[in-house]
Amino acid sequence: MEKTKIMLQEPEEVKEFVNAAGRCDFDIDVIYNRIIVDAKSFLGVLSLISNPIMVSCHGEDAGFERICQKFMSQR
């Protein structure tokens, strides 16, 4: 299980993140404090917008890792 800390600040970023997560065939959790949300849920991830969140992957996908790096590096 790989964990990455990212921040999404715009609804367009949430859409890009959720679409990338939806292409993965494994579970991905988004964690903020005690809240755990499925990363494939647009409304769930949107509710955490502008907060630093931890992404926990239960598998590997190079495309999704690039998306996480994108939102990690610009913050």
Side-chain angles (χ1 to χ4, degrees), residues 16-26 28 40 61 63-64 67:
E16 183 179 359
F17 176 82
V18 171
N19 285 340
R23 289 190 290 271
C24 298
D25 62 349
F26 51 86
I28 304 169
K40 298 175 185 180
D61 181 80
F64 184 71
I67 293 293

Side-chain angles (χ1 to χ4, degrees), residues 33-56:
N33 291 337
R34 290 192 220 171
I35 301 168
I36 300 174
V37 174
D38 183 355
K40 298 175 185 180
S41 166
F42 180 77
L43 290 177
V45 177
L46 186 63
S47 72
L48 301 175
I49 198 166
S50 298
N51 291 307
I53 55 178
M54 186 68 64
V55 179
S56 176

Side-chain angles (χ1 to χ4, degrees), residues 2-3 6-7 10 16 36 53 67:
E2 182 180 327
K3 292 186 178 183
I6 67 168
M7 185 180 294
E10 302 291 330
E16 183 179 359
I36 300 174
I53 55 178
I67 293 293

